[in-house]
Amino acid sequence: MSAHIVVLSEEIANQIAAGEVVERPASIVKELIENSIDAQAKNISVEMEKGCGSIRVTDDGTGIDSKDVALVFERHATSKIRKIEDIYQVASFGFRGEAMPSIASVATVELLTKRQGQTEGTRAYVDAGVIKEISPAGCPAGTQITVSNIFANIPARRKFLKKENTEQSLCLDAVTRASLAYPEIRFRASVDDKEVFAVPQSAEIKQRVAAVMGMDFSANCIGVQGERENWKLSGFISHPEFTRSNSKNIYLFVNRRFVRDNSLIHAVLSAYRQIIPPRRYPAGVLFIDLPPQDVDVNVHPAKLEVRFKDARGIYEMVSGTIAQSLAQSSGPKDSFVYRLTPRGESFSAGAPVQPQKYFNKYPPAASRQEISAGLTFGKVVGKIASVSADDEQEKGRINFSGFSYIGQYGGTYLIFSADDGLLLIDQHAAHERIILEKLKKESTQKIASQRLLMPEIISLTPGQITLFAQHIDLLGEIGLDVEIFGKDSLAVKSLPALLSAAGAKEIVLDIADKLQEQNKASSLQEKKEELFASMACRAAIKAKNDLLPQEVNALCNDLENTPFNTTCPHGRPISIKLSLDEIERMFKRK
Ligand code: ADP
Ligand code: MG
């Protein structure tokens, strides 16, 4: 290797820059679409040859003046900014003047363009970064760019590409993302002349989201709307019943720019914690809009990542707004009518009668004697296919109308019957959810706590004591008053009133574990909710515990009025239904 320093040729410099901007064919699709959007196009068409042999993007935007065409392929040539301060106010996708020269340096590019209102257009032909021809040409107003021989001159880069199908689907992802943020633009995409994606211009984002994300999502989504400082969050997220196996279906946009941001994804997921099962993910299309000076978009070569001035504030706006939307969509119905009708005692006849330790504050409901015949089974668990907004509230909620209580099985499962099926409820899972939601609701003010008659002394490791000492205020806010005694013990003075039936010691030991596991980056609300979940688990009635009918009565009453009443905080189901149809099929009667 020579020890002399040389200035690299422009061609090599462009190829190096291209390595960052044009990682794969999908990057070309993304950059070309963004240029078309910046040119105010109303129609954008992406044509691909199978395996991304060539990519053509056609738009009906402003077009490029013939005397500017040569500049398109020069590095740092842009029509979008003039001075450095502009990039902190920038509203366009592009501003670095890097994409076109980068693409041209690793492929063959044919450009056809005509400025709106001009009579003649221009054709340019560029091969491996060298302009071979610029000439007048007849073409419609707008711009058409055809890129072929992609990476032909850079075999090393070609080797890194994935299977043809994968690259093609990544190209289509680029179209999908752009289309989600620009409902006013009509997009179409084809592969080998076969149309694979088409969305018409839509007046509202809602219609575009439905067209792109599909019926399944739009029938199972919840609108999100929130504000903080002068930032805004809007969009749609999936109902907790509708989960996916990865987080790829969460589309995030910052000022209409698609971004991949782990912290924002985490903010979304945090709102679903304790609502959906572990390793399942929601889907969503979310738009964060904020003044350009509050976000730096110039931190990533392909601008896929951004840096917020106040990342913590944005995180809280996202997780808080979504949590609130989920809670509202799952809120208890006002017109609740209680019609549970116990018919018999527990299956375990002869078992000793248990004191009513969990539900003694509930008087047995008068309506217990009613028998409500003829009510349908359809509302119990499971999705309702309808899209209408009125049904949104009903989706997946447990409702006991029409059911009679038959009894308890194994000290754990409550069995109900209706004309058209059986319903099994896991009593622990149900009670856990009820307590968690009550604690969450109370925590919006101050959690009611109950003083213990005698403080309970609990010994812990010095490490655990340090953690408790650090979190003493947080614990106070959730209704747990502790006082630290020396290096290895503490006294519990009061507990959240809701948990009075549970042992202070177990609760404190669980909390010690939780504090140890907790992610330092979690927000205060997340930390609280994790502690609530662990307390709810301790305080909930256990399996193998006989319940009196009036206890069952109260549990069902509460459950109907609890948000997210289909799963326990660990994501396990609270209820299982067996329809008459299924039962008859099992007995081969059908
Ligand atoms: P940037 O988008 O950062 O300005 P590019 O290299 O992507 O840089 O494009 C260079 C310039 O070419 C743009 O600033 C714009 O003036 C022009 N241009 C590229 N594509 C189009 C298009 N589809 N319609 C109109 N002008 C375009
Ligand atoms: Mg650009």
Side-chain angles (χ1 to χ4, degrees):
M1 190 188 286
S2 157
H4 296 297
I5 300 175
V6 295
V7 174
L8 296 173
S9 73
E10 189 175 320
E11 187 186 347
I12 297 178
N14 279 341
Q15 286 178 354
I16 292 172
E20 299 199 304
V21 184
V22 189
E23 199 188 344
R24 54 180 6 120
S27 335
I28 298 177
V29 175
K30 171 184 176 285
E31 294 294 340
L32 295 182
I33 291 181
E34 290 185 352
N35 280 342
S36 297
I37 297 175
D38 284 346
Q40 276 119 44
K42 286 284 158 264
N43 289 279
I44 299 177
S45 153
V46 180
E47 293 162 86
M48 286 173 275
E49 254 176 32
K50 196 158 184 300
C52 312
S54 78
I55 294 168
R56 167 179 292 164
V57 175
T58 310
D59 70 49
D60 58 353
T62 55
I64 305 165
D65 204 291
S66 56
K67 52 184 189 312
D68 286 345
V69 166
L71 283 173
V72 169
F73 302 99
E74 292 252 345
R75 277 185 86 194
H76 314 305
T78 178
S79 55
K80 301 170 192 175
I81 62 166
R82 291 289 180 262
K83 50 188 194 308
I84 186 66
E85 294 77 35
D86 292 348
I87 74 167
Y88 301 105
Q89 291 291 344
V90 76
S92 56
F93 279 111
F95 52 79
R96 292 184 193 140
E98 223 171 36
M100 291 307 298
S102 296
I103 294 170
S105 76
V106 296
T108 307
V109 176
E110 189 197 25
L111 169 94
L112 267 175
T113 185
K114 193 177 85 168
R115 199 93 185 137
Q116 299 282 354
Q118 285 186 350
T119 46
E120 199 172 46
T122 312
R123 174 179 183 269
Y125 183 77
V126 188
D127 185 33
V130 183
I131 299 181
K132 302 276 173 158
E133 186 195 325
I134 294 184
S135 54
C139 59
T143 303
Q144 178 178 85
I145 294 172
T146 311
V147 184
S148 43
N149 301 325
I150 298 164
F151 298 137
N153 58 343
I154 314 190
R157 171 118 334 223
R158 255 198 342 253
K159 268 196 250 152
F160 279 103
L161 296 183
K162 301 237 169 71
K163 283 204 300 272
E164 284 188 355
N165 278 348
T166 314
E167 294 298 336
Q168 204 168 289
S169 87
L170 291 170
C171 288
L172 287 173
D173 279 349
V175 184
T176 309
R177 292 166 180 174
S179 72
L180 279 170
Y182 286 84
E184 69 274 32
I185 301 175
R186 171 172 161 249
F187 286 87
R188 61 178 296 272
S190 64
V191 176
D192 284 347
D193 292 328
K194 209 170 138 248
E195 189 167 89
V196 288
F197 179 90
V199 284
Q201 289 170 346
S202 346
E204 277 186 73
I205 194 75
K206 201 173 172 176
Q207 290 155 358
R208 176 58 57 91
V209 169
V212 176
M213 301 288 284
M215 262 304 283
D216 215 17
F217 175 79
S218 50
N220 287 289
C221 71
I222 299 164
V224 174
Q225 199 86 50
E227 251 176 86
R228 190 180 164 131
E229 313 278 330
N230 44 2
W231 321 318
K232 256 173 53 193
L233 175 72
S234 60
F236 299 89
I237 44 153
S238 57
H239 192 273
E241 298 277 296
F242 178 87
T243 61
R244 308 293 297 256
S245 61
N246 59 46
S247 62
K248 289 213 182 91
N249 294 285
I250 306 174
Y251 293 90
L252 296 167
F253 299 85
V254 174
N255 290 349
R256 293 176 111 189
R257 189 187 286 280
F258 174 83
V259 296
R260 252 186 341 222
D261 184 309
N262 284 339
S263 157
L264 288 180
I265 296 275
H266 191 270
V268 176
L269 298 182
S270 80
Y272 280 86
R273 247 173 334 106
Q274 301 163 351
I275 299 174
I276 64 179
R279 288 181 296 283
R280 298 295 301 173
Y281 300 84
V285 182
L286 293 164
F287 300 95
I288 296 171
D289 290 291
L290 71 178
Q293 63 271 21
D294 283 359
V295 55
D296 189 351
V297 291
N298 195 27
V299 294
H300 184 267
K303 309 191 192 82
L304 276 168
E305 289 164 18
V306 293
R307 193 176 295 141
F308 296 108
K309 230 184 192 170
D310 180 2
R312 173 106 252 168
I314 299 281
Y315 182 101
E316 280 167 11
M317 171 177 75
V318 172
S319 72
T321 308
I322 296 180
Q324 210 179 358
S325 310
L326 287 171
Q328 274 163 7
S329 85
S330 181
K333 286 236 308 172
D334 295 339
S335 58
F336 161 70
V337 186
Y338 184 61
R339 292 200 194 83
L340 178 65
T341 325
R343 257 192 209 144
E345 294 286 340
S346 140
F347 272 154
S348 45
V353 174
Q354 299 274 315
Q356 287 186 36
K357 55 182 173 236
Y358 296 105
F359 304 110
N360 48 9
K361 58 181 185 306
Y362 301 104
S367 51
R368 256 175 56 196
Q369 303 309 318
E370 283 173 23
I371 294 181
S372 48
L375 281 162
T376 54
F377 191 74
K379 275 189 188 163
V380 183
V381 249
K383 274 174 238 155
I384 289 168
S386 163
V387 209
S388 102
D390 291 347
D391 286 340
E392 188 95 320
Q393 301 264 329
E394 274 296 287
K395 214 167 288 162
R397 294 186 52 74
I398 291 177
N399 182 312
F400 291 96
S401 342
F403 283 99
S404 307
Y405 177 52
I406 297 185
Q408 188 189 32
Y409 175 70
T412 305
Y413 304 104
L414 311 176
I415 307 177
F416 302 83
S417 75
D419 287 348
D420 48 4
L422 291 177
L423 176 68
L424 307 183
I425 299 275
D426 177 328
Q427 66 192 35
H428 173 74
H431 198 204
E432 212 177 348
R433 171 60 73 191
I434 294 170
I435 297 177
L436 173 65
E437 294 305 324
K438 280 188 180 167
L439 286 168
K440 270 161 66 177
K441 193 166 169 209
E442 275 196 10
S443 75
T444 55
Q445 278 118 41
K446 188 172 160 37
I447 298 241
S449 68
Q450 182 157 12
R451 282 203 94 70
L452 303 185
L453 283 177
M454 285 278 287
E456 189 162 337
I457 311 290
I458 295 164
S459 49
L460 293 169
T461 67
Q464 288 169 325
I465 290 291
T466 315
L467 276 170
F468 270 88
Q470 282 163 0
H471 290 92
I472 218 138
D473 291 342
L474 170 74
L475 297 171
E477 278 176 42
I478 63 168
L480 189 78
D481 278 332
V482 296
E483 196 182 314
I484 291 173
F485 280 132
K487 281 202 291 291
D488 56 5
S489 52
L490 56 75
V492 182
K493 298 200 295 195
S494 55
L495 282 177
L498 271 170
L499 308 185
S500 52
K505 183 160 181 203
E506 285 77 16
I507 288 181
V508 165
L509 290 177
D510 285 353
I511 286 181
D513 289 344
K514 272 277 161 302
L515 290 177
Q516 243 153 359
E517 286 165 19
Q518 262 175 358
N519 180 350
K520 284 202 176 57
S522 308
S523 72
L524 199 62
Q525 189 56 24
E526 280 167 34
K527 286 185 177 173
K528 279 188 193 174
E529 287 182 14
E530 277 176 15
L531 299 183
F532 289 156
S534 115
M535 298 195 294
C537 185
R538 272 290 167 203
I541 27 165
K542 299 285 172 293
K544 308 251 179 275
N545 215 321
D546 293 336
L547 294 187
L548 293 170
Q550 49 270 53
E551 293 174 325
V552 173
N553 200 345
L555 183 76
C556 297
N557 199 349
D558 264 2
L559 189 61
E560 274 198 324
N561 284 296
T562 296
F564 312 118
N565 66 10
T566 55
T567 55
C568 80
H570 312 289
R572 288 196 303 270
I574 287 177
S575 68
I576 302 266
K577 78 170 178 187
L578 271 178
S579 70
L580 179 60
D581 205 48
E582 282 169 281
I583 296 171
E584 286 188 332
R585 267 189 276 121
M586 283 190 258
F587 285 107
K588 311 275 182 233
R589 282 173 175 273
K590 270 197 168 175

